[in-house]
Amino acid sequence: MGRLAGKVALVTGAASLKGFGFATARMFAADGARVVLTDLNADAVEARAEELRAQGWDATGCGQDVTQQDSWDHVRHLTVAMFGR
């Protein structure tokens, strides 16, 4: 197990294959974290989460507008529902 085993990481801006957000999410997952990826582009971020799951890592994708409080509330509820915290 990696250093982040048992941890949950939330990574925003994670929809782009070449972006910093997805690279960060991939590193966290590889190190044992369960990862929630978010981005304005819900379809693309779910595709990135699927790529992580295909490698055997725990990940979920969620559309999010980081400028909206209700969007943060949704992500928080999803994270707790998926990973218990």
Side-chain angles (χ1 to χ4, degrees):
M1 275 288 147
R3 294 174 296 162
L4 299 178
K7 304 290 184 183
V8 177
L10 170 64
V11 181
T12 61
S16 173
L17 278 172
K18 297 179 181 181
F20 182 74
F22 182 58
T24 300
R26 187 175 36 234
M27 288 188 328
F28 285 166
D31 211 17
R34 296 180 282 176
V35 184
V36 178
L37 296 80
T38 73
D39 197 278
L40 273 172
N41 186 334
D43 292 336
V45 82
E46 178 52 37
R48 300 298 78 77
E50 176 57 35
E51 290 175 32
L52 298 181
R53 289 191 299 270
Q55 294 182 42
W57 299 324
D58 284 336
T60 192
C62 179
Q64 181 190 26
D65 180 347
V66 298
T67 68
Q68 301 299 315
Q69 182 61 47
D70 61 334
S71 190
W72 280 104
D73 294 340
H74 174 72
V75 170
R76 181 173 46 86
H77 290 294
L78 172 73
T79 303
V80 171
M82 293 291 298
F83 300 124
R85 57 186 173 289

